[in-house]
Amino acid sequence: MQHTVRPAEQWLHDPFAYLGPQGDVLRVWQPSARGVAWIAADGAEQPLAPQGDGLFEGSAPHGAYRLKVDWPGGTQLLDDPYRFDPVLGDLDLYLFGEGRHWELATRLGANPRTIDGVEGTAFAVWAPNARSVCVTGDFTGWDARRLPMRARHDSGIWELFVPGVGVGACYKFVVTGADGVAREKADPLARATELPPATASIVAAAPAFAWQDQAWMETRADRHHPGAPVSIYELHAASWRRPWHDDAHHDWDELADALIPYLQDIGFSHVELMPIMEHPFGGSWGYQPLSQFAPSARFGTPEGFARFVDRCHQGGIGVILDWVPAHFPTDAHGLAQFDGTALYEHADPREGFHPDWNTAIYNLGRTEVAGTLIASALWWLETFHVDGLRVDAVASMLYRDYSRKAGEWIPNQHGGRENLESIAFLRRLNSVVAERCPGAITIAEESTAFPGVTDRPEDGGLGFNYKWNMGWMNDTLRYMEQDPVHRRWHHGEMTFGLVYAFSERFILPLSHDEVVHGKQSLIAKMPGDRWQKFANLRAYLAFMWAHPGKKLLFMGGEIAQWQEWNHDAELDWAALQQPDHAGVQGLVRDLNALYAREGALHHGDADPAGFEWLVGDDADNSVYAFARLSRYGAAPLVFAVNLTPVPRHGYRVGVPLAGAWRTVLNSDAERYAGGNIAGPDVVHTAAIASHGRTDSLELVLPPLGAILLRHEGPAA
């Protein structure tokens, strides 16, 4: 019988129409093979005739069979990928097209499967404009020709079940675009990757971790309540402590061994990890990720990361991940021009290229792209029990003219600057997370006055649980950098944040961005001599912890590290041998303990009834005082800070309640390496009107120092 055999370039787009059993004919594509035969289940064997260009053909066997391939280096027995039916169902394709397939990581990418008793891996990738897609890897000797994939035309997905490929195999997709150019691409849905600078994806086992964090998960929602004490330690996993062995990075278990006891000792409730999604360039700190589903191989395996989260939870520590849905790098093996077209990104550089970071911008108006990113968010929250996502660069997503001059951006359909597609994406993201991940939180890094960032989507908001208060950070740092003699002219920079402090649910961030690129470390920003620098920093941290809003401090700030953060070196832990550095660490430890213990310090973080100005206008003395109050019966607190190097004796402050007030914190205490200027431990009110109140306290305010007093009840 004669059969017409088409050249490979004509059938690669639909290999199942020509390869495998075709009625009474079997065709096999094995480029570079010297010969191919099939072997039936009963042991019968029949060679196939070479047709040239790697194609072999002959009579089809009846029933199951395997292939015996004669290579120049030996013989290989394998199952024929082209005898298997499609793996993805119609519902998978429909949900993907709709942008709401939330289990995408176990459908697309590389998923170990057993089909008809044959073990292998089901590969699937979205490339709707490709002429052909082949999967290649160490299992093909990286021969890009051998495994052309099946096109599911309506969805743009290509898939292939490859028998014999198991966990740990390295692979890529060879995508031949409409332009005829073959591009070797890493898997956008990979769950594991090679260690950069290597770029292959790795077949990962299906998630099957034995979690031991049930107690944490059951109480997580209460821990994330707007009235709960949330204190976050921002961490770059590769540079917190450098490992003692030859490898440049900790693995997750080593990090957990050292980090969890440290956080428990210092009292932070959460650790926020700068992006751990795989990224090709370490100097991006993770903010240019390419693998939105894969924990970086720099720290070990996905199972290792699951153990890390589980151990944090058992130790009472929540885990927040930075997550980047705004942009991605243009490395050749990544998402850019994935199928020869602008698939994941916008085609027009006025929409699709980010001038600040030289990155591509996701086309969030495309349902498949938006759905893939939401599936990524759910992957971390559901699969790894992550407690929250801090969404990076939200401001850049909200405005089409972000960092662009006139003429460099395209208005929306109404002629405005708002990015309607991104706004819709963020609302949907937060709605889906709220529905599927009870107790998990999302946090916006958003630096503008965009309204309703933490309002519910159904009320017109974006739906985030919290927003970084970038305005508070910029204003207060600018004030603290002033020489005290000039601070009277900048007094409002410390008070302005209270004008809008309850317009959103805020986190007060002193993040990594403030201690890099020539901005200096926190301690180095402070004015004056060494003593004054440390006193300023202690007073500023006390002001931050007493101020309404959740807290975030980047690593190194708690030990007053002098040098800027260097992602290639560990923190200056040796500084703790000096009393003033150890004093700042001790202060942060005590501030966290007070914040967790004193309900008035956290119950009203997002409630205007939890705050009252007592002294907000004393610019001449650079003194601020306010009360923190609780709706739930916790004792009221009074905070006062003197931001000049002159002690204030007999400073009178009107207070909300008469009676005894006990000093529970003095940032100038000897234990913090301060000058130990202090008044009595317990101060009683006098019936002397001050600051609009009938009762007042006479206080001693230390130089460049802060005190916190708790109401102890009426006078005896």
Side-chain angles (χ1 to χ4, degrees):
M1 183 180 296
Q2 297 294 319
H3 301 281
T4 301
V5 179
R6 300 188 183 186
E9 61 269 19
Q10 294 187 31
W11 53 256
L12 281 173
H13 72 284
D14 191 10
F16 279 79
Y18 300 96
L19 299 180
Q22 303 292 325
D24 60 352
V25 174
L26 175 65
R27 295 195 192 99
V28 174
W29 167 247
Q30 294 293 343
S32 302
R34 297 190 304 188
V36 178
W38 56 255
I39 300 176
D42 61 4
E45 180 175 332
Q46 179 174 312
L48 301 177
Q51 305 296 306
D53 198 30
L55 196 69
F56 297 83
E57 180 179 312
S59 298
H62 299 288
Y65 65 94
R66 302 191 77 195
L67 299 176
K68 184 170 75 171
V69 183
D70 181 17
W71 302 107
T75 300
Q76 179 185 21
L77 287 177
L78 51 83
D79 285 280
D80 185 359
Y82 301 96
R83 74 174 179 85
F84 292 92
D85 292 331
V87 174
L88 294 172
D90 290 341
L91 181 59
D92 290 317
L93 305 182
Y94 172 76
L95 291 175
F96 175 71
E98 291 280 301
R100 54 189 181 94
H101 198 319
W102 308 141
E103 287 79 34
L104 205 57
T106 59
R107 301 298 191 275
L108 268 60
N111 289 280
R113 299 282 297 269
T114 300
I115 299 177
D116 297 336
V118 177
E119 294 183 353
T121 295
F123 294 94
V125 64
W126 180 54
N129 302 302
R131 288 186 186 178
S132 67
V133 180
C134 296
V135 60
T136 187
D138 51 13
F139 44 88
T140 68
W142 295 101
D143 186 334
R145 303 169 295 169
R146 284 174 51 187
L147 291 172
M149 302 177 76
R150 180 201 309 264
R152 307 295 297 273
H153 294 287
D154 291 343
S155 65
I157 290 174
W158 300 73
E159 67 163 329
L160 186 68
F161 174 70
V162 183
V165 175
V167 171
C170 293
Y171 70 99
K172 286 186 178 180
F173 297 112
V174 180
V175 183
T176 301
D179 54 6
V181 176
R183 297 169 175 85
E184 198 171 80
K185 294 289 189 177
D187 180 6
L189 273 292
R191 303 201 299 259
T193 68
E194 286 188 300
L195 178 66
T199 58
S201 305
I202 296 177
V203 177
F209 186 75
W211 292 92
Q212 304 295 320
D213 64 346
Q214 291 81 3
W216 171 274
M217 298 297 284
E218 290 170 0
T219 61
R220 185 171 70 174
D222 292 337
R223 297 173 186 267
H224 292 160
H225 187 274
V230 176
S231 179
I232 303 166
Y233 188 69
E234 188 190 17
L235 184 96
H236 181 251
S239 61
W240 178 67
R241 288 189 186 273
R242 303 294 280 184
W244 48 89
H245 44 72
D246 292 338
D247 190 1
H249 305 286
H250 284 295
D251 66 25
W252 290 114
D253 295 309
E254 289 173 336
L255 184 63
D257 290 342
L259 179 64
I260 294 171
Y262 182 76
L263 295 181
Q264 291 171 329
D265 174 53
I266 301 300
F268 285 95
S269 64
H270 290 71
V271 60
E272 179 178 317
L273 297 171
M274 293 164 70
I276 63 159
M277 301 79 191
E278 192 62 86
H279 47 283
F281 177 47
S284 78
W285 313 329
Y287 290 101
Q288 293 195 11
L290 275 179
S291 296
Q292 290 281 22
F293 294 78
S296 175
R298 292 169 175 87
F299 313 112
T301 65
E303 292 77 15
F305 177 61
R307 284 194 303 274
F308 173 82
V309 176
D310 196 47
R311 290 180 62 185
C312 284
H313 286 174
Q314 292 183 63
I317 306 296
V319 179
I320 298 168
L321 299 185
D322 280 7
W323 183 65
V324 187
H327 57 94
F328 59 88
T330 57
D331 297 62
H333 69 283
L335 302 177
Q337 293 289 305
F338 190 81
D339 63 357
T341 68
L343 184 63
Y344 285 90
E345 70 272 35
H346 293 272
D348 192 319
R350 293 174 295 173
E351 296 181 286
F353 181 76
H354 207 300
D356 285 358
W357 304 302
N358 292 322
T359 51
I361 298 172
Y362 284 108
N363 181 357
L364 296 174
R366 188 156 194 168
T367 56
E368 298 94 339
V369 175
T372 297
L373 286 169
I374 295 175
S376 164
L378 295 174
W379 180 247
W380 300 104
L381 295 169
E382 296 181 337
T383 305
F384 292 104
H385 287 203
V386 165
D387 300 294
L389 299 175
R390 194 223 66 162
V391 182
D392 180 66
V394 169
S396 76
M397 301 173 69
L398 294 177
Y399 301 101
R400 288 175 163 265
D401 63 346
Y402 185 90
S403 284
R404 297 181 189 274
K405 299 175 184 177
E408 295 179 350
W409 59 282
I410 301 174
N412 64 33
Q413 64 191 47
H414 306 298
R417 59 193 286 258
E418 295 80 10
N419 191 318
L420 303 180
E421 294 82 7
S422 291
I423 292 169
F425 166 79
L426 292 170
R427 286 173 172 161
R428 190 178 188 200
L429 164 73
N430 289 318
S431 295
V432 171
V433 169
E435 177 183 352
R436 292 181 60 103
C437 309
I441 55 174
T442 58
I443 302 164
E445 184 203 17
E446 205 286 304
S447 55
T448 75
F450 191 91
V453 172
T454 57
D455 288 344
R456 300 185 308 168
E458 52 265 42
D459 296 329
L462 295 182
F464 286 94
N465 299 93
Y466 293 100
K467 170 182 172 175
W468 273 18
N469 193 335
M470 310 292 280
W472 175 91
M473 176 272 296
N474 285 317
D475 289 346
T476 59
L477 275 178
R478 186 165 52 246
Y479 176 92
M480 292 303 301
E481 291 173 8
Q482 301 292 329
D483 187 288
V485 73
H486 301 304
R487 283 176 175 169
R488 67 175 61 191
W489 311 114
H490 299 268
H491 195 75
E493 291 173 356
M494 294 291 273
T495 62
F496 184 66
L498 270 304
V499 172
Y500 59 86
F502 306 105
S503 62
E504 303 275 8
R505 293 185 295 275
F506 281 121
I507 292 173
L508 310 181
L510 292 178
S511 75
H512 66 278
D513 277 331
E514 313 320 315
V515 293
V516 289
H517 301 325
K519 295 180 183 178
Q520 301 184 298
S521 66
L522 289 181
I523 187 66
K525 293 177 194 285
M526 301 295 117
D529 59 20
R530 182 182 179 107
W531 188 91
Q532 290 183 345
K533 284 179 179 293
F534 277 90
N536 271 301
L537 181 58
R538 292 194 304 267
Y540 181 45
L541 291 172
F543 178 83
M544 173 181 174
W545 256 258
H547 192 286
K550 309 309 177 190
K551 324 301 174 190
L552 180 140
L553 184 65
F554 181 58
M555 65 183 200
E558 83 282 12
I559 62 174
Q561 175 172 294
W562 282 108
Q563 64 267 34
E564 286 189 346
W565 168 54
N566 176 1
H567 68 271
D568 287 327
E570 73 172 7
L571 300 184
D572 184 15
W573 295 106
L576 290 173
Q577 301 304 312
Q578 302 172 61
D580 42 12
H581 290 273
V584 173
Q585 186 190 55
L587 175 68
V588 171
R589 180 186 292 111
D590 289 350
L591 287 170
N592 273 328
L594 283 167
Y595 182 54
R597 184 174 70 242
E598 300 291 342
L601 283 181
H602 56 260
H603 289 162
D605 270 342
D607 180 0
F611 178 89
E612 286 184 9
W613 273 116
L614 304 178
V615 181
D617 57 358
D618 190 358
D620 288 342
N621 292 309
S622 297
V623 169
Y624 304 85
F626 52 77
R628 295 300 309 275
L629 309 168
S630 169
R631 294 179 182 269
Y632 306 105
L637 299 169
V638 164
F639 174 83
V641 61
N642 167 27
L643 291 172
T644 69
V646 179
R648 309 288 178 191
H649 294 275
Y651 192 95
R652 188 163 294 281
V653 177
V655 293
L657 289 174
W661 292 78
R662 179 179 296 277
T663 301
V664 294
L665 182 109
N666 179 355
S667 71
D668 192 50
E670 183 178 5
R671 64 183 294 175
Y672 309 134
N676 214 34
I677 294 177
D681 285 346
V682 178
V683 187
H684 297 273
T685 56
I688 299 174
S690 181
H691 303 101
R693 290 164 176 80
T694 58
D695 299 282
S696 59
L697 294 172
E698 187 176 285
L699 301 175
V700 175
L701 302 183
L704 299 173
I707 59 174
L708 185 69
L709 303 99
R710 181 180 58 229
H711 188 245
E712 297 275 281

